[in-house]
């Protein structure tokens, strides 16, 4: 298997942590679209949003998604990459999409432990726990729609990586 593997899910789901470990296990390269965008534009997510609004950020996010999609790559997408129907269709067509699903309380706890406020501005202006619940309510159906596989991301990262490796091995056998 050499297709691109896309990690989708909310902030704090472990897309970067699990994605890096998965890429290492597979011998793939790893790309985080938010970090790639930040490095190529020399602007943080917050700066892009301040200059261009969320619409401008989402446009850049779509372009980056297409740019980084190459064989033998694990791509950690931004949590909102699924908002655009064309992104969902693109990811399903170009690779394997793994939705890292975790309850809002676990996501909020993780984000409180490692705040990235400077990198990712609030979407709603609400406290993080409320924001996550609101965001999941809007995006859950989109995450489900795009996913080839849905995994419980509240488990230890290594356990999730092992499950993904097993799913991928089964997929290549069939």
């Amino acid at each position: 298997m050499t297709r691109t593997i896309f990690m989708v899910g909310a902030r704090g789901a472990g897309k970067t942590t699990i994605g890096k470990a998965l890429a290492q296990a597979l011998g793939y390269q790893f790309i985080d679209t938010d970090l790639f965008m930040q490095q190529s534009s020399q602007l943080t997510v917050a700066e892009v949003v301040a200059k261009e609004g969320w619409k401008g950020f989402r446009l850049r996010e779509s372009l980056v998604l297409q740019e980084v999609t190459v064989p033998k790559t694990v791509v950690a997408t931004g949590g909102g990459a699924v908002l655009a129907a064309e992104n969902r269709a693109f990811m399903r067509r170009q690779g394997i999409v793994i939705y890292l699903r975790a309850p809002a309380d676990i996501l909020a706890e993780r984000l409180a432990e490692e705040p990235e406020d400077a990198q990712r501005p609030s979407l709603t202006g609400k406290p993080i726990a409320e924001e996550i619940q609101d965001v999941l309510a809007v995006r859950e159906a989109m995450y489900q729609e795009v996913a080839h596989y849905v995994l419980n991301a509240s488990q230890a990262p290594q356990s999730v990586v092992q499950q993904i490796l097993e799913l991928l091995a089964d997929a290549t056998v069939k």
Side-chain angles (χ1 to χ4, degrees):
M1 189 197 64
T2 60
R3 296 174 74 190
T4 305
I5 299 171
F6 298 97
M7 312 299 287
V8 300
R11 286 192 299 163
K15 297 181 300 284
T16 298
T17 301
I18 292 165
K20 281 180 180 174
L22 179 64
Q24 186 172 8
L26 292 170
Y28 280 24
Q29 70 173 327
F30 172 79
I31 297 175
D32 178 304
T33 58
D34 283 350
L35 190 57
F36 184 90
M37 186 187 319
Q38 188 174 334
Q39 290 171 341
S40 59
S41 69
Q42 297 296 302
L43 299 169
T44 65
V45 172
E47 289 167 340
V48 171
V49 171
K51 285 184 174 187
E52 302 172 17
W54 280 106
K55 187 176 180 180
F57 172 78
R58 295 291 175 215
L59 177 61
R60 282 181 184 244
E61 186 174 56
S62 294
L63 295 171
V64 165
L65 185 64
Q66 292 173 27
E67 187 176 344
V68 301
T69 299
V70 293
K72 293 192 171 191
T73 303
V74 175
V75 177
T77 65
V82 298
L83 292 172
E86 56 271 14
N87 287 351
R88 295 192 304 274
F90 176 82
M91 287 188 282
R92 279 200 64 91
R93 203 173 48 247
Q94 296 295 324
I96 296 170
V97 185
I98 298 168
Y99 170 25
L100 298 178
R101 190 170 192 252
D105 59 328
I106 288 180
L107 297 171
E109 192 177 293
R110 289 178 180 170
L111 291 173
E113 287 172 12
E114 293 186 44
E116 300 178 36
D117 294 345
Q119 185 185 5
R120 301 188 183 172
S122 171
L123 294 167
T124 63
K126 294 180 179 178
I128 194 71
E130 284 180 54
E131 177 170 291
I132 288 172
Q133 288 202 320
D134 290 352
V135 166
L136 285 178
V138 169
R139 296 180 184 172
E140 178 65 23
M142 291 178 239
Y143 289 137
Q144 294 279 352
E145 173 194 325
V146 73
H148 290 100
Y149 302 104
V150 179
L151 291 164
N152 177 358
S154 54
Q155 304 171 70
Q158 205 47 51
S159 171
V160 177
V161 169
Q162 190 55 47
Q163 288 175 48
I164 294 169
L165 291 171
E166 290 167 13
L167 288 167
L168 295 174
D170 285 349
T172 57
V173 171
K174 292 177 184 169

